Amino acid sequence: MKRLLVLAVALLALGLLLAGCGGEEKKADQVLKIGTMSPLTGPYAADGNDIRQGAEIAVEVFNEAGGMPGFSKIEVFSEDTACDPKQAVAAANKLINEKVVAVVGAYCSSSTIPASETLAEENIIMLTPASTNPKVTERGLPYMFRTCGRDDHQAPAAVKFMKDVEGVKTIFIVDDKTTYSQGLAEGVATAAAAAGIQVLEHDHVNQGDKDYSAVLTKVKAANPDLFYISLQNSATGALMVIQAKRMGIDAILMGQDAVYHPKLMEIAKADAEGMYCTFGAIDKDAPKFKEFLSKYQAKTGNEPGAYSAYAFDSATAYLMAAKAAGTTDPAKVREEMLKLDFTGASKQIKYEENGDSGSNYTVYKVQDGKFVPYWNSLTGEKY
């Protein structure tokens, strides 16, 4: 009898233990995991952390509004790509192991493209807030979405501005041989030739270079009307601007969306005055942007970077679609993603069948240390 009593107690204890483990597993299953991928270290860390923080704020806002039915909370898991293709694939695999249902990222197109192939094998939705190379959405991946614009829209917009607004006849182009920078630079060269603008030279530098005197000597000798700088981030762009000014290059300076970042003015200071950059049109007086700005400043103590709002809208889009679908099943969430049409912090968010969301490039001018909207490519008019 005593033995039976001991056995019964043991079985009861085991049952309670197993029930407890099951309860913990069920509780863990209630956490909705969102991943981010971006360069969190190295020369592109400013942009990468902008992306991470934008996604985190989107999750905070969504949680405050009631969260996701069926889940106790939403968490963000961030991985560092360092803008390196191999590290980006490793980051994607880490996020797969974390069992994330969606990924916001990456920054560099050279990271997004290979990482998206890895995520596609597991049917994980990826939304890039920053990768503008056309190939990102041209490979037929059903779960690849892009919230920012495309370079084959950005390049013609830049060239139209050069010709119609500045009357440019000659340009000199420099890129850093990355997938994004070189692809965009080639697009500018092609569009310029079609518009009757002479490309005096299209030269290259290497990622990590600090001394640009060799290429800048060529720029000064060529004496172009406009010097087009296609580099991977604002810090390297600022360095090239500083050295160009010191060398006495007086051409119009123009950069692209990767150079568009507050860091440009922080580093280059007065040397950046008058420079132009292309970037998506963001209405900073809109209520949605002001709401985002308030949250961002409260969380970080800083102004949002170039891609913060796009990352915020990317994460928001996924969460809205998953809530509407009532499930994280990727096929059903994708269906809801394609139905979205909402005003985001960056622009009106409406995805096309291929995953793109349209381009709305504006030319900004650095005036008094700030980016000021200068010319709207959609209307062809100055602000």
Side-chain angles (χ1 to χ4, degrees):
M1 186 72 179
K2 189 175 180 180
R3 279 184 186 176
L4 289 174
L5 181 61
V6 171
L7 181 60
V9 171
L11 289 172
L12 178 61
L14 179 61
L16 290 172
L17 178 63
L18 291 174
C21 291
E24 287 299 315
E25 184 177 349
K26 184 178 179 182
K27 184 177 180 181
D29 284 344
Q30 291 177 338
V31 177
L32 182 67
K33 298 179 179 182
I34 303 293
T36 74
M37 295 173 55
S38 58
L40 303 178
T41 58
Y44 314 121
D47 293 288
N49 281 290
D50 289 339
I51 289 171
R52 174 183 59 80
Q53 290 166 343
E56 288 174 347
I57 292 167
V59 168
E60 286 182 14
V61 171
F62 201 82
N63 275 330
E64 289 170 2
M68 187 72 68
F71 293 89
S72 59
K73 60 180 177 178
I74 308 168
E75 289 186 1
V76 177
F77 294 77
S78 298
E79 293 293 339
D80 185 7
T81 65
C83 268
D84 175 77
K86 291 182 179 178
Q87 191 164 328
V89 171
N93 281 313
K94 288 180 182 178
L95 291 174
I96 290 169
N97 290 335
E98 287 287 357
K99 300 189 184 305
V100 301
V101 293
V103 174
V104 175
Y107 171 63
C108 300
S109 295
S110 54
S111 291
T112 297
I113 291 171
S116 63
E117 300 281 352
T118 300
L119 294 172
E121 293 175 3
E122 301 297 326
N123 295 329
I124 295 174
I125 290 175
M126 186 178 196
L127 306 96
T128 180
S131 298
T132 52
N133 188 279
K135 292 179 182 177
V136 168
T137 51
E138 288 183 348
R139 293 163 297 142
L141 299 182
Y143 300 120
M144 181 75 242
F145 291 85
R146 173 173 18 216
T147 308
C148 56
R150 292 170 54 117
D151 288 335
D152 50 357
H153 298 159
Q154 181 172 194
V159 170
K160 184 172 176 59
F161 169 78
M162 295 176 196
K163 182 177 181 179
D164 294 355
V165 179
E166 291 294 329
V168 168
K169 304 293 184 184
T170 59
I171 63 172
F172 194 112
I173 301 172
V174 171
D175 68 61
D176 59 13
K177 296 187 281 190
T178 60
T179 300
Y180 155 73
S181 303
Q182 187 168 351
L184 177 56
E186 289 171 352
V188 168
T190 299
I197 298 175
Q198 183 182 1
V199 179
L200 300 177
E201 191 167 345
H202 180 180
D203 211 332
H204 314 276
V205 294
N206 296 309
Q207 282 185 290
D209 284 352
K210 303 294 184 184
D211 181 1
Y212 298 122
S213 57
V215 72
L216 292 175
T217 297
K218 295 181 183 180
V219 176
K220 186 172 183 179
N223 192 30
D225 293 336
L226 185 142
F227 177 27
Y228 188 77
I229 300 170
S230 184
L231 301 179
Q232 189 67 68
N233 76 337
S234 56
T236 51
L239 191 59
M240 184 168 282
V241 167
I242 292 169
Q243 294 179 25
K245 290 290 186 180
R246 289 177 181 173
M247 192 169 282
I249 293 171
D250 59 4
I252 298 167
L253 299 180
M254 188 170 194
Q256 19 67 316
D257 51 352
V259 175
Y260 177 91
H261 192 283
K263 289 288 183 185
L264 175 70
M265 286 81 78
E266 289 178 23
I267 298 170
K269 297 182 171 59
D271 288 333
E273 282 293 307
M275 182 179 181
Y276 296 111
C277 284
T278 44
F279 197 79
I282 295 179
D283 184 0
K284 295 186 178 181
D285 292 322
K288 193 67 177 179
F289 179 83
K290 287 184 176 180
E291 176 190 345
F292 160 73
L293 177 63
S294 176
K295 291 282 187 181
Y296 193 92
Q297 290 175 327
K299 179 180 176 66
T300 69
N302 299 315
E303 291 294 308
Y307 297 100
S308 305
Y310 285 115
F312 175 86
D313 288 341
S314 296
T316 299
Y318 175 82
L319 293 170
M320 288 176 63
K323 186 172 184 178
T327 176
T328 57
D329 177 84
K332 293 179 180 177
V333 175
R334 182 183 187 276
E335 288 180 14
E336 295 299 329
M337 289 278 293
L338 296 175
K339 296 177 186 177
L340 293 174
D341 190 355
F342 70 95
T343 301
S346 63
K347 64 179 184 181
Q348 192 70 18
I349 306 299
K350 182 176 174 61
Y351 294 105
E352 302 166 8
E353 179 67 28
N354 72 341
D356 279 319
S357 60
S359 302
N360 60 337
Y361 286 104
T362 279
V363 173
Y364 293 81
K365 186 175 185 178
V366 179
Q367 294 180 334
D368 298 324
K370 296 181 179 180
F371 285 114
V372 178
Y374 190 77
W375 180 79
N376 187 326
S377 71
L378 301 181
T379 64
E381 301 291 335
K382 290 184 179 180
Y383 285 92

